[in-house]
Amino acid sequence: MADAGKKKAVGLPLPLMQGLHGEFYRHCAAGRLSFQRCSDCGRWRHVPREICPACSSWNWSWEQSSGRGTVFSYTIAERPMHPAFAELCPYAAVVVEMEEGVRLLSRVVDCPPSELEIGAGVTVEYLNVEPTGSGAGDAEAPGQEEIVLPVFRLA
Amino acid sequence: MKDKACIVGVGATGFFRGEGSGKSLHGLQLEAALAALADAGLRAGQVDGIMPFPNLGTAEGFAASLGCESLRFATTVNMGGAAPVASLGVAAAAVSSGLADYVLMPAGWNGYSGPRAGAIVQEMTASIPGGAIARDFYLPHGLVAPAQWYALIARRHMHEYGTTAEQLGAVALAMRKHAQLNPAAVMHDKSMTMEQYLASPMITDPYRLFDCCLETDGAAAFVVTSAERARDLARAPVYISGVASAQPYPADDITGREDIFRTGLTVAAPQAFEMAGVKPADADFAQVYDCFTFEVVQQLEEAGFCARGEGGAFVQEGRIELGGELPVNTHGGLLSEAHVLGMGHVVEAVRQLRGEAAGRQVADASLGVVTGWGDFGDGSIAVLRN
């Protein structure tokens, strides 16, 4: 896992690059972790939603995150529950709480899982994944766009 | 709705690993349904309401096999493992309002010999309300299964409240101990010590193997009717005194909750106890959906049996064992009896309230609680009395 950020992960289940979910990942591909922010009440949100759950406004924009957050919780997968992750085991799936207040599920790629701690500061980086897996969102069609996942390293 | 409806029949198949049930998914649930109807003293043709478990069958299919010629109430509560107890509420509403006379709910699966949970995680995840979110935001990072989703909550609880592995182990041990008194339990004659629990392999930290529910073949079922009709039936009715189900917020994303411990049960439990006019402390037992050990700790807190953060201490020193303050999962639960999707908990509650639980009977049981937990923390709860 220590150098996972430098390698292309293969065979992973990938997001479908559709709708607002696709827009989220296109911002990641551009190297800008971004979240929706309500233009009326100013509240940030993740996962993407069409209207603001706080004030029902339809007005929002993608705004770039500081990329900084802290580890909120995690689980260390010792046994693979999906064949694509067998070689990664043990790895930690981590909930990161961003400075903007939103949380997202990700991984901390430069930290052995056993050394992870809740509260640890982390900074975003970007993991390029090839769309060649066997998951729900994969496709081997030529011209398939590049998919980039936001992952984290210790700050 | 208090006491307007009753559970009048319950039934279950045997529970299997090894060679499996030898029955189809449909046939297994039919066997449980027929057992519940026989228990109630009803003919299958009298059933006019059927509530299948999500994704495991259709009302039309069960009605056709059972000979229900006058099916007029058919619906499914889409709450995963919270569905059986939530369905008790819907069934009670149906029979007390006249939408149906006799509502049957079967639930069961070949969870051992059929497609195993681990092999079908993507299909399973796709079918739940947060499926598209899990697919696009969880799966790509390796968060692929319920054990992992809920482990995130458990880890945070351990961090905030100091909940320990030994406390999770106390849950596993209590369920295993109860299974020794239940000849139908898959883990009957397989006792467990804390040393064995702690030595079991880590699956998804903090969950060890023995924190995780069993994978088994088996089915169970209940029949609900109005209190009025119940008086004419074979068995002593078990009254649905209070019942409620609710969702966490947001229900479709487990990571984004302002308060990660606030689940459906947090909202539902006060409603069910208020409807019944009782307090958690009045319960003689609780059958708590135990997909993983920590979910028992968390549900005991959120249902109000103890304060938040105190669940770890609450489950220790035999308090949730038979003879303790609040016997929990007297049948052995999903952890040590069988994984019957939460229907086993309803069946056990009824047996306890009828005084039919033999060697594991809670003395003078007159009021019991049963909970359900499903998907990303949907919750349901029923307060039952005899």
Side-chain angles (χ1 to χ4, degrees):
Chain A
M1 280 304 294
D3 59 351
K6 302 185 186 75
K7 285 192 294 191
K8 286 194 174 187
V10 293
L12 301 176
L14 299 174
L16 286 187
M17 295 295 282
Q18 293 174 350
L20 294 174
H21 294 189
E23 287 184 37
F24 172 87
Y25 282 107
R26 282 182 200 103
H27 282 280
C28 291
R32 296 188 306 265
L33 175 64
S34 301
F35 301 106
Q36 287 176 296
R37 188 172 189 192
C38 177
S39 308
D40 286 309
C41 74
R43 194 174 155 134
W44 296 77
R45 62 183 190 255
H46 182 73
V47 298
R49 309 216 182 249
E50 291 200 44
I51 66 172
C52 176
C55 76
S56 306
S57 170
W58 292 85
N59 304 314
W60 57 270
S61 57
W62 289 107
E63 290 199 19
Q64 187 169 353
S65 163
S66 72
R68 290 189 296 270
T70 54
V71 172
F72 179 80
S73 193
Y74 61 92
T75 182
I76 303 169
E78 302 275 355
R79 298 289 182 93
M81 297 189 187
H82 186 294
F85 295 96
E87 284 183 24
L88 276 180
C89 281
Y91 63 91
V94 180
V95 180
V96 175
E97 187 165 84
M98 303 303 299
E99 282 183 344
E100 294 80 14
V102 300
R103 295 195 204 118
L104 78 164
L105 196 284
S106 184
R107 280 177 282 149
V108 179
V109 294
D110 68 343
C111 180
S114 58
E115 290 172 24
L116 262 181
E117 281 182 18
I118 288 177
V122 293
T123 310
V124 72
E125 68 176 44
Y126 300 96
L127 177 65
N128 192 345
V129 288
E130 288 179 289
T132 54
S134 56
D138 54 293
E140 301 196 40
Q144 171 79 33
E145 68 180 300
E146 180 178 77
I147 295 177
V148 173
L149 303 179
V151 292
F152 289 82
R153 58 183 163 77
L154 292 175
Chain B
M1 212 162 74
K2 179 188 180 187
D3 296 334
K4 295 248 172 75
C6 301
I7 304 172
V8 292
V10 292
T13 66
F15 306 128
F16 307 95
R17 297 200 291 181
E19 297 294 301
S21 70
K23 282 199 162 61
S24 70
L25 174 65
H26 187 62
L28 191 65
Q29 294 180 88
L30 284 177
E31 184 185 333
L34 289 169
L37 289 164
D39 184 53
L42 288 167
R43 286 177 294 103
Q46 291 173 274
V47 169
D48 58 357
I50 298 181
M51 299 189 67
F53 190 92
N55 303 316
L56 295 179
T58 63
E60 293 84 345
F62 288 120
S65 292
L66 291 167
C68 307
E69 294 183 11
S70 305
L71 189 74
R72 58 191 179 113
F73 182 77
T75 193
T76 286
V77 178
N78 198 11
M79 291 182 123
V85 175
S87 298
L88 278 178
V90 176
V95 299
S96 58
S97 65
L99 284 176
D101 293 341
Y102 301 102
V103 176
L104 166 73
M105 180 173 185
W109 58 349
N110 287 317
Y112 187 86
S113 66
R116 301 280 283 273
I120 57 170
V121 283
Q122 286 196 39
E123 292 88 317
M124 196 176 68
T125 301
S127 75
I128 70 169
I133 289 166
R135 177 196 66 210
D136 291 346
F137 295 104
Y138 301 173
L139 262 63
H141 293 290
L143 191 80
V144 301
Q148 299 171 330
W149 308 337
Y150 308 152
L152 295 172
I153 308 176
R155 167 64 63 197
R156 184 72 196 182
H157 197 273
M158 295 169 105
H159 173 76
E160 285 195 31
Y161 301 111
T163 310
T164 65
E166 286 75 12
Q167 290 171 335
L168 301 187
V171 174
L173 261 57
M175 307 305 94
R176 188 60 68 92
K177 201 167 168 182
H178 294 162
Q180 305 318 305
L181 305 170
N182 176 8
V186 162
M187 289 300 180
H188 187 61
D189 292 332
K190 292 194 179 80
S191 61
M192 182 165 65
T193 65
M194 183 61 82
E195 290 65 36
Q196 288 169 320
Y197 162 81
L198 290 170
S200 71
M202 197 61 87
I203 303 295
T204 188
D205 192 330
Y207 287 149
R208 294 171 165 79
L209 179 65
F210 292 149
D211 290 302
C212 301
C213 54
L214 298 166
E215 293 180 293
T216 53
D217 291 7
F222 67 66
V223 184
V224 165
T225 192
S226 65
E228 210 161 66
R229 284 193 171 79
R231 286 182 207 115
D232 302 327
L233 293 176
R235 312 304 298 270
V238 167
Y239 290 84
I240 301 170
S241 288
V243 62
S245 61
Q247 311 278 352
Y249 178 81
D252 61 0
D253 174 28
I254 212 164
T255 64
R257 294 172 191 161
E258 198 173 323
D259 173 358
I260 201 168
F261 305 120
R262 182 185 180 275
T263 54
L265 189 63
T266 316
V267 181
Q271 296 176 24
F273 285 114
E274 190 189 342
M275 188 189 294
V278 299
K279 297 182 179 63
D282 297 328
D284 297 312
F285 62 82
Q287 317 298 358
V288 179
Y289 194 91
D290 53 332
C291 44
F292 304 95
T293 51
F294 170 71
E295 275 56 53
V296 174
V297 172
Q298 198 197 354
Q299 288 175 87
L300 289 170
E301 293 180 0
E302 298 306 307
F305 289 104
C306 59
R308 189 180 281 182
E310 293 176 0
F314 186 88
V315 300
Q316 289 185 298
E317 289 161 20
R319 267 184 221 95
I320 62 166
E321 294 175 12
L322 278 161
E325 194 176 312
L326 180 76
V328 171
N329 295 349
T330 48
H331 55 323
L334 306 181
L335 289 165
S336 280
E337 186 199 50
H339 194 320
V340 201
L341 306 153
M343 188 57 88
H345 293 64
V346 176
V347 171
E348 177 69 5
V350 168
R351 287 178 176 158
Q352 286 287 350
L353 290 169
R354 286 178 179 170
E356 293 174 351
R360 60 182 192 278
Q361 180 65 45
V362 175
D364 304 319
S366 62
L367 189 86
V369 168
V370 53
T371 76
W373 164 287
D375 294 347
F376 289 166
D378 297 351
S380 53
I381 178 169
V383 180
L384 306 174
R385 70 165 181 86
N386 58 19

